Amino acid sequence: RIIMSDFSSKCREYLTDTGETVYQLASSSGLDRTSLQRMLTGKRLPSIDFIHQFCDSIRINPSQRLELMELYKIEKIGKEVYYNRKYIQELLRVISSQQTISPSGFQRLPSLPFYRGDFSFDVEKKVFSLFEDILDSGSDEEICTNIPANCRLLVQTFARLYPEYGKLPPVIQILPLHQNPTASPDYNMNLETFLCTILPILSGFLNYQPYYYYTQAGRDVSSYTLFPFFFITKKKLLLLSYDMMTFVFTENPAVVSSYNQEFQRILENSRRFFQQSDSPSQILEIFGSIMHTSITTNFALESHPCLALMSYGPDFVQALFKNRDVDLSSPVYTQLAAVLKQPSFAFTEDDTYCNYFTLNGIRKFAETGLLDGPYSYHQTPLPVEERKKAIQHLLNTDLGGEKCRILKPSVLPETVIHLEVLSDYSVFLCFLSEEDTFICVYLKETSIGQALNDYLCSLADDHAAYSKKEAQQILLGLLEQL
């Protein structure tokens, strides 16, 4: 028995709306009648080109076409993968914005769609006062919590306090990750947890330390627990109900001490999963240590083409740093030059792995000689002749052996990040804030790395990047302008 899918049902509905039969549509559109019949009955999923032709023939509006294309993708790759990719798409849009990666980003966190949840005014006021008391005392006392990663309460507290104090108390947060996210209805729980915990760090909160533990139960287990969420300091304990509408507060030394001991027990069985740094030299040490191993790069995402693939020789590395307004003997530059010259600084042999960059990024490089993201640190414009050589080298090497792909603006108009998914599914992220402060996160968590890897791999199939011929025409056009 054939079970009609949402996609085939919607196709049948739209065809019925036209008043035509399968035979009539096949005759007028040139679509193969057998393929059309099989698509409408759910027996076969046709090619994407067939779907585009079908949409062109049944006279539907753009929103209906978009709905049908989404149902087609869900049918083709499955709901879990489809919604993971959509989630990552939104993740990259958020963290690729220069506005987010700055201390002022604290103000924007509560309004981001990843954070949600209701809580009473009394709960909000009590949590706020707990943070405020530590800041007023001038101590470096830590706040320990297990509040959910996507709860707006915590980032709302950050947003209210940071403008006034210019800092926040150290926060340690323990969070569940699903041991097998593909088997859970909450399949992008791990991705959401990662995103919601990385955003405060990107906003400059380096005293924020999220720890993770694996569970098969997901995050719904808390609904069966009395006052499951907590905030603990050395002398105070605040317990929150599951719906975050009521709380229990105590300063009883014995009770607070017991909770602190239990928190340490849980912390010992949790892991951080990532390194973070705001020091340029430490970031390059982390990156350099990765490059010295057998680990290679699956995908990279940045504003401009990979510098190693643009490098036409040793003179290119020197040209990057020439006339800079800092000491060229600085470890920041000597280490970066060493990394770029390493033979291992390359992509794997698999043709599907590549370096994605934005159209605006390569245009900016051609027109101004400036790079975005971490490479824009104390940068002066690269001379026109050097820009020509770099772009020409990309063309001469067949876009780095077809490893360079330009993303369409509809996918990602700009990015200030340097992101790499490595062959062991670890993830390297590096940013430069508005205040020229580097922020780096090196994440080692397989399910998150695999999801990011899948998303970047899918961009080639989803027509999100320009074809090789289109990319060559773009580069030739930029050369002509120079």
Side-chain angles (χ1 to χ4, degrees):
R1 187 168 71 90
I2 301 299
I3 300 174
M4 297 285 285
S5 67
D6 291 340
F7 168 71
S8 57
S9 296
K10 185 60 68 174
C11 288
R12 200 171 188 86
E13 176 190 323
Y14 284 158
L15 176 61
T16 302
D17 290 343
T18 66
E20 293 186 47
T21 64
V22 171
Y23 178 81
Q24 288 170 330
L25 181 65
S27 299
S28 62
S29 65
L31 290 167
D32 180 72
R33 182 159 58 92
T34 303
S35 298
L36 187 58
Q37 186 67 44
R38 288 177 176 174
M39 179 187 76
L40 294 170
T41 55
K43 292 180 180 178
R44 183 181 175 186
L45 196 65
S47 69
I48 187 70
D49 291 335
F50 189 94
I51 302 304
H52 283 305
Q53 192 176 349
F54 175 72
C55 290
D56 291 339
S57 305
I58 58 174
R59 304 181 296 279
I60 55 176
N61 63 45
S63 63
Q64 291 173 318
R65 187 187 187 106
L66 182 62
E67 178 189 21
L68 197 59
M69 295 308 299
E70 287 201 355
L71 290 174
Y72 173 77
K73 289 178 182 178
I74 291 171
E75 181 76 8
K76 186 175 182 181
I77 63 177
K79 283 187 177 181
E80 175 212 330
V81 173
Y82 175 76
Y83 286 109
N84 264 349
R85 289 178 183 176
K86 284 203 73 171
Y87 202 93
I88 292 171
Q89 175 74 60
E90 189 61 29
L91 179 157
L92 290 175
R93 285 186 186 277
V94 169
I95 65 175
S96 291
S97 166
Q98 181 71 58
Q99 293 182 335
T100 301
I101 308 162
S102 66
S104 59
F106 283 121
Q107 300 293 327
R108 304 179 186 91
L109 290 180
S111 63
L112 294 176
F114 309 105
Y115 297 107
R116 50 189 178 272
D118 296 321
F119 40 85
S120 69
F121 176 71
D122 287 341
V123 164
E124 181 184 11
K125 188 167 63 172
K126 195 64 183 177
V127 171
F128 184 81
S129 69
L130 198 68
F131 277 75
E132 195 172 39
D133 288 347
I134 292 175
L135 289 169
D136 287 337
S137 69
S139 75
D140 56 356
E141 188 177 352
E142 294 175 338
I143 294 179
C144 304
T145 184
N146 71 336
I147 196 166
N150 63 351
C151 180
R152 188 177 283 112
L153 176 60
L154 193 60
V155 293
Q156 194 151 307
T157 303
F158 296 164
R160 286 184 60 194
L161 285 168
Y162 191 84
E164 182 179 349
Y165 291 90
K167 62 177 183 177
L168 294 163
V171 173
I172 298 177
Q173 186 177 17
I174 53 171
L175 299 154
L177 292 178
H178 207 288
Q179 195 169 15
N180 183 8
T182 59
S184 167
D186 194 7
Y187 39 75
N188 50 27
M189 166 185 163
N190 290 6
L191 277 174
E192 184 175 62
T193 299
F194 166 61
L195 174 62
C196 292
T197 50
I198 202 174
L199 285 172
I201 294 169
L202 302 183
S203 297
F205 190 7
L206 291 171
N207 281 331
Y208 171 62
Q209 300 177 43
Y211 283 76
Y212 310 91
Y213 62 91
Y214 286 111
T215 174
Q216 291 185 340
R219 46 190 165 192
D220 289 336
V221 68
S222 301
S223 60
Y224 301 102
T225 308
L226 295 173
F227 289 90
F229 305 121
F230 57 75
F231 287 87
I232 313 170
T233 69
K234 288 180 181 177
K235 298 179 180 179
K236 299 173 182 178
L237 169 65
L238 176 63
L239 301 176
L240 305 183
S241 60
Y242 177 75
D243 61 2
M244 299 198 186
M245 292 295 150
T246 58
F247 66 85
V248 174
F249 177 74
T250 182
E251 295 182 71
N252 182 303
V255 175
V256 175
S257 175
S258 295
Y259 263 85
N260 270 306
Q261 288 177 23
E262 278 298 288
F263 183 82
Q264 288 304 315
R265 178 186 65 79
I266 299 171
L267 197 62
E268 287 170 6
N269 289 284
S270 305
R271 294 172 56 195
R272 288 207 63 189
F273 286 130
F274 62 75
Q275 303 175 50
Q276 63 191 70
S277 175
D278 62 348
S279 159
S281 57
Q282 287 178 0
I283 291 169
L284 284 166
E285 281 176 18
I286 292 171
F287 191 64
S289 66
I290 298 167
M291 292 299 108
H292 276 108
T293 68
S294 58
I295 299 170
T296 51
T297 301
N298 284 1
F299 294 100
L301 174 66
E302 50 195 326
S303 172
H304 49 79
C306 168
L307 291 187
L309 297 180
M310 280 202 291
S311 178
Y312 50 79
D315 291 346
F316 176 71
V317 178
Q318 294 174 9
L320 279 174
F321 303 144
K322 192 177 181 181
N323 299 322
R324 298 300 189 261
D325 56 356
V326 291
D327 182 6
L328 293 183
S329 64
S330 162
V332 176
Y333 292 102
T334 56
Q335 288 181 64
L336 181 58
V339 167
L340 287 175
K341 291 176 182 178
Q342 285 180 26
S344 60
F345 189 66
F347 296 95
T348 59
E349 292 302 316
D350 194 317
D351 288 337
T352 62
Y353 296 164
C354 62
N355 167 241
Y356 290 106
F357 56 96
T358 66
L359 180 59
N360 285 336
I362 187 64
R363 281 177 175 165
K364 178 179 178 180
F365 172 77
E367 293 168 4
T368 68
L370 296 171
L371 304 171
D372 279 322
Y375 296 106
S376 63
Y377 180 65
H378 284 303
Q379 186 184 315
T380 53
L382 201 64
V384 171
E385 287 307 311
E386 306 301 330
R387 291 177 238 164
K388 287 182 181 178
K389 289 180 186 177
I391 295 173
Q392 188 63 58
H393 181 71
L394 277 177
L395 288 166
N396 293 344
T397 56
D398 203 19
L399 280 86
E402 296 190 44
K403 302 233 185 308
C404 282
R405 291 179 184 266
I406 307 176
L407 288 174
K408 294 179 180 177
S410 58
V411 179
L412 199 64
E414 61 180 344
T415 179
V416 296
I417 64 173
H418 175 97
L419 180 151
E420 294 196 28
V421 180
L422 304 169
S423 55
D424 64 347
Y425 297 113
S426 58
V427 180
F428 181 83
L429 272 167
C430 190
F431 305 78
L432 184 68
S433 76
E434 290 174 340
E435 286 75 26
D436 276 357
T437 300
F438 282 92
I439 298 171
C440 160
V441 173
Y442 178 53
L443 173 78
K444 295 194 74 171
E445 203 288 320
T446 309
S447 70
I448 294 169
Q450 287 176 334
L452 282 164
N453 193 83
D454 167 74
Y455 169 78
L456 291 170
C457 185
S458 74
L459 292 179
D461 296 332
D462 286 349
H463 305 287
Y466 291 103
S467 67
K468 174 185 169 182
K469 184 177 180 181
E470 290 170 330
Q472 288 174 332
Q473 290 301 316
I474 289 169
L475 295 179
L476 285 169
L478 294 174
L479 272 179
E480 288 178 10
Q481 292 173 20
L482 289 171

